[in-house]
Amino acid sequence: MGLKASLSLISLAVLLLFSTVVTADNVTRAFQKYSNFSTMSDLFIKTKLTVPISKYQTITILAVSNDAISSITNRSDVELKNILMTHVLLDYYDELKLNGLKEKSIMLTTLYQTTGLGEQMNGFLNCTKSKGKVYFGSEVTGSPLSSEYVTTLYHNPYNLSIIQISMPIVAPGLSLAIFPPPPPPAPLAPAPAPSPMDAAMAPAPSPMVTAPAPGPADSDNASDTTVPKPTPATETPETVSPAPAPTADNEKIEAADKAGKSPSSSSSACHEAGLSFLVVLLLAFFTSFA
């Protein structure tokens, strides 16, 4: 019983060692038998993704044929690398495991999620089994499940697997460059506390001199003191209008007035003379009787 247990442990150790070697070996070795996937193999080498892949003991690569992958080869190097990272699953899947899935959806973690740039679930994939077929797509809400599982190209159980899908998966927001995280800032050294001697010798702060508030400007003073006196209205002397010149009608009226006055004056003179004569007669009459 102990011998069997020892042999099992040795076999497991050899299997793990062999698995580690297969994963650490470049991915192109797994693609060597399939010339129809040479473009994707070359892109893994160009983007240097074999280095981060070799750090994992369990990897599944979603491979796309040369004809299907041509739709993304014209992208920038940064975006192309990010897309390829979403085709590397941090778990093991082969035909046997996929056929054993029930009619449901599962979420798969990709290598892109380890960069820390994953936003809106674009570092995860959705794997859905429907009517006996398996579909892959981005886990971002609204993304289509348009990439269908075709076949398993290579598998080393629970270590490395390469399965073919019908078309590449492009999640939104994969055009961001991948940079290493910045180092944490160095802690600042605390300032030394002043000694009692320094505190005693420190000069006292000078009193703050409050500047007087600025007075009003000269123009303001001038406007306040110099008040213009109202100019009295000039009395316009009344102009004496000249007497109207005598007209012919006026002359006739004046002549008529003069003519009317002359008879009255003569009659009054005669009346006075008659009275005087009467008085004289009366006096002479009374004298004769005397």
Side-chain angles (χ1 to χ4, degrees), residues 48 64 83 97 129 195 251 261 274 290:
K48 300 179 181 180
V64 184
I83 293 174
K97 190 173 181 179
K129 188 175 183 180
S195 62
E251 291 179 355
K261 293 179 181 179

Side-chain angles (χ1 to χ4, degrees), residues 205-213:
S206 58
M208 183 180 297
V209 179
T210 305

